[in-house]
Amino acid sequence: MIPNQWYVILESREIKTGKPVGFTRLGEKMVAWRMPDEKIVVQADLCPHRGAALHQGKINNDNIMCPFHGFEFDSEGTCTLIPANGKKSVPPKIFQAKTYPAQERHGYIFIWWGEAREEYPPLPIFEELENNSFRYADYKESWAVHYSRVIENQLDVFHLPFPHGTTIGRGNRTVADGPIVKMDGEEMQIWVYNRKDENGPAKRAGELGEPTRVPFLHFRFPHLWQNHISEDMRITVYFTPIDENHTMLYSRYYQRFLKLPILGDFVSWLISIFSITILHQDKRVVEKQLPIKSDLKMTEKLIAQDQPIILYRRIRKNLQDGLPIQKKN
Ligand code: FES
Ligand SMILES: [Fe+2]
């Protein structure tokens, strides 16, 4: 996993005021709840006393109360009460629950997964989708495979005619010209031109000239992807590691050709239904890929059109090692 990053861990709608929820993300058990002032608290789901799961407890005066011996922890993780010692005694500082920096934005809960900092970088968000009259529908599901395989599947530009032969891969356009890949900081943009196998071999990126504007794929490290279908229609997915063998996909289907609230939401929902079918065509294949996790050095034999995947692996490794995204040669 890539440390020192913001990750989406829940949708906003999954977390209610005063009700702790327990879940696993990034290989760690966590508990989250919403305070009366809407602030989100995310802590390790592990009582420092004797290891009970805090999410089984309840919220008491904005604090979480452990289900086992009733120790209470505030939103900073400080232990405020040890009932067995009495209300008047001050709990020792060693009873500190681990707390993650958390923020809520655009319908998602983010946590900072890494070392504490004086200042944190901005949240990974495509800001143009936040305020431009898009209507959207949300869908989430987990896949039983390492996050690297799930992300690489969405950067793969020439599989469409095969798993998606009945949907977006119709038409037998098996030849992939390109892809053209552009990197800008933590962002990767990918264009590809799929065609029938009628006019000679595949063209390389250098033979294609500047890419046309849409459609293209847009990926922001470590885990946000966008299919930029048109100016008015987009799909985004956050790929959050649950653990080494499972990934949560938080997908969202945006459109703004129909802006009316109810009808617009209905159309976004219809797009989501179609897209879920496509997603499941991928899931069937990706969950069976071996090894379950990809790496920079592995025995796979790649072809030129796999370039986005090679780039993903290289940058991921740099980020894991704390190096700049692109190493200077
Ligand atoms: S295990 Fe939590 S209070 Fe004892
Ligand atoms: Fe696919």
Side-chain angles (χ1 to χ4, degrees):
M1 294 175 203
I2 304 176
N4 298 314
Q5 302 282 347
W6 288 107
Y7 285 93
V8 165
I9 50 145
L10 293 171
E11 293 172 347
S12 289
R13 61 184 177 177
E14 294 182 88
I15 179 163
K16 308 267 181 290
T17 305
K19 271 195 130 195
V21 287
F23 49 91
T24 301
R25 298 286 182 272
L26 298 138
E28 297 176 13
K29 289 194 185 303
M30 301 177 187
V31 56
W33 71 96
R34 188 186 287 281
M35 304 276 276
D37 66 358
E38 297 292 317
K39 187 181 162 217
I40 302 293
V41 185
V42 184
Q43 295 184 349
D45 193 16
L46 183 82
C47 179
H49 175 222
R50 286 186 51 223
L54 290 172
H55 81 271
Q56 293 180 329
K58 57 182 182 187
I59 303 301
N60 206 6
N61 299 325
D62 297 350
N63 297 337
I64 191 157
M65 187 177 91
C66 178
F68 207 172
H69 311 96
F71 289 29
E72 289 189 18
F73 304 88
D74 67 14
S75 62
E76 308 292 323
T78 306
C79 183
T80 54
L81 176 68
I82 297 179
N85 286 344
K87 268 194 228 135
K88 294 239 152 67
S89 73
V90 178
K93 290 221 175 337
I94 51 161
F95 292 100
Q96 175 73 31
K98 177 177 175 181
T99 302
Y100 300 85
Q103 286 193 41
E104 180 170 27
R105 192 157 151 201
H106 199 27
Y108 293 114
I109 311 296
F110 295 82
I111 59 156
W112 176 257
W113 193 70
E115 291 153 9
R117 298 210 170 152
E118 283 286 306
E119 257 184 63
Y120 292 95
L123 298 174
I125 281 194
F126 289 119
E127 282 171 5
E128 81 268 19
L129 298 178
E130 212 177 358
N131 305 316
N132 281 318
S133 63
F134 281 101
R135 313 295 308 180
Y136 57 77
D138 280 307
Y139 176 74
K140 67 157 196 171
E141 70 174 26
S142 66
W143 288 17
V145 67
H146 190 261
Y147 70 90
S148 57
R149 292 300 197 181
V150 192
I151 290 176
E152 287 173 7
N153 170 59
Q154 301 298 344
L155 304 178
D156 183 317
V157 293
F158 60 100
H159 72 280
L160 266 58
F162 305 99
H164 305 303
T166 57
T167 53
I168 48 170
R170 255 189 250 117
N172 213 24
R173 293 180 295 137
T174 50
V175 175
D177 289 335
I180 300 172
V181 184
K182 295 196 171 190
M183 280 302 303
D184 180 11
E186 302 190 350
E187 313 220 359
M188 190 192 300
Q189 298 191 341
I190 308 163
W191 289 259
V192 71
Y193 306 96
N194 300 99
R195 60 173 165 90
K196 288 189 178 170
D197 196 353
E198 287 168 350
N199 295 312
K203 294 197 174 84
R204 298 284 168 254
E207 301 171 68
L208 295 173
E210 274 301 295
T212 51
R213 197 151 155 55
V214 289
F216 67 94
L217 300 177
H218 195 166
F219 181 69
R220 184 174 293 179
F221 278 87
H223 75 325
L224 170 59
W225 173 92
Q226 178 180 181
N227 186 350
H228 196 123
I229 300 166
S230 71
E231 281 310 300
D232 295 335
M233 198 165 144
R234 320 286 181 88
I235 300 172
T236 60
V237 187
Y238 286 99
F239 305 95
T240 302
I242 295 173
D243 55 30
E244 285 289 326
N245 300 318
H246 299 87
T247 305
M248 189 65 83
L249 286 75
Y250 292 99
S251 55
R252 189 173 273 180
Y253 306 91
Y254 293 87
Q255 64 80 25
R256 62 178 173 190
F257 45 81
L258 238 177
K259 293 178 186 161
L260 300 171
I262 293 176
L263 211 55
D265 291 346
F266 179 67
V267 168
S268 306
W269 178 77
L270 280 181
I271 298 168
S272 78
I273 295 299
F274 178 62
S275 306
I276 292 163
T277 305
I278 298 164
L279 206 59
H280 289 171
Q281 291 175 329
D282 285 317
K283 183 173 191 261
R284 178 175 165 269
V285 176
V286 173
E287 284 190 333
K288 296 282 184 257
Q289 270 183 286
L290 287 175
I292 192 165
K293 156 184 184 173
S294 80
D295 237 317
L296 187 54
K297 291 205 171 75
M298 60 194 300
T299 55
E300 287 183 355
K301 297 177 182 54
L302 307 180
I303 66 169
Q305 287 90 331
D306 285 312
Q307 195 210 350
I309 287 164
I310 299 168
L311 209 52
Y312 169 74
R313 290 179 185 175
R314 198 179 297 151
I315 294 171
R316 173 177 154 233
K317 180 81 173 82
N318 285 351
L319 290 172
Q320 285 174 326
D321 293 347
L323 297 170
I325 290 229
Q326 311 247 44
K327 267 193 281 187
K328 298 237 162 32
N329 291 322

